[in-house]
């Protein structure tokens, strides 16, 4: 999508601080980090929200989580622990409508989330 911020990152028109990339996903540091380590993992294909996922996306969703696991390991937060979050629509706080998995670590996390 031409007007999607994250699609522009996939296309190389905007250059985030990339920490991981493969054929299916791109991962980069969040511009407004909510923890010492805050990375976003996105699919390279445009999917607006979790509500738009179909069974055909099952493998791609798995790839997002496997990328998050690798990033957490590489960033040294796998053993202490980390949080994975995917917000869906406005009431959950989604602000960019291209699905993204937040990978947050480096500090204790509270529950329930705000
Ligand atoms: P969400 O609120 O769940 O849709 O998360 C969107 C995240 O995207 C938010 O944590 C901030 C991040 N973000 C927004 N614009 C940019 C940007 O231009 N660059 C980077 N690296 N992150 C961005």
């Amino acid at each position: 999508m031409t007007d999607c911020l994250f699609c522009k990152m996939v296309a190389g028109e905007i250059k985030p601080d990339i920490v991981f990339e493969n054929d299916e996903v791109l991962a980069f540091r969040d511009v407004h980090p909510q923890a010492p380590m805050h990375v976003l993992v996105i699919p390279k294909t445009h999917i607006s929200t979790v509500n738009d996922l179909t069974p055909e996306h099952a493998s791609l969703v798995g790839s997002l989580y496997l990328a998050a696991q690798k990033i957490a390991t590489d960033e040294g937060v796998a053993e202490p622990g980390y949080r994975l979050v995917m917000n869906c629509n406005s009431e959950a706080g989604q602000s960019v409508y291209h699905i993204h998995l937040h990978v947050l670590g480096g500090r204790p996390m509270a529950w329930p989330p705000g």
Side-chain angles (χ1 to χ4, degrees), residues 5-6 9 14 16-17 28-34 38 40 85-88 92-98 100 102:
L5 173 67
F6 288 174
M9 292 180 180
I14 295 173
D17 183 0
F28 51 88
R29 296 193 191 281
D30 194 293
V31 74
H32 296 130
Q34 302 300 313
H38 187 174
L40 303 176
V85 175
M86 192 176 284
N87 296 319
C88 182
Q94 184 173 5
S95 59
V96 179
Y97 282 76
H98 178 132
H100 45 282
H102 293 261

Side-chain angles (χ1 to χ4, degrees), residues 9-111:
M9 292 180 180
V10 172
E13 295 166 26
I14 295 173
K15 302 202 181 302
D17 183 0
I18 293 171
V19 299
F20 177 77
E21 182 173 13
N22 65 21
D23 288 347
E24 294 180 300
V25 311
L26 180 69
F28 51 88
R29 296 193 191 281
D30 194 293
V31 74
H32 296 130
Q34 302 300 313
M37 195 280 291
H38 187 174
V39 167
L40 303 176
V41 186
I42 69 170
K44 288 190 169 178
T45 55
H46 184 85
I47 302 167
S48 295
T49 80
V50 171
N51 290 340
D52 298 304
L53 290 171
T54 68
E56 286 68 38
H57 294 123
S59 174
L60 178 58
V61 172
S63 295
L64 296 176
Y65 277 82
L66 289 172
Q69 179 201 65
K70 174 177 169 39
I71 292 159
T73 300
D74 292 348
E75 297 276 328
V77 302
E79 287 312 315
Y82 55 101
R83 181 166 292 174
L84 302 178
V85 175
M86 192 176 284
N87 296 319
C88 182
N89 278 338
S90 58
E91 198 154 313
Q94 184 173 5
S95 59
V96 179
Y97 282 76
H98 178 132
I99 62 167
H100 45 282
L101 188 59
H102 293 261
V103 188
L104 300 133
R107 65 166 171 82
M109 302 282 163
W111 193 265

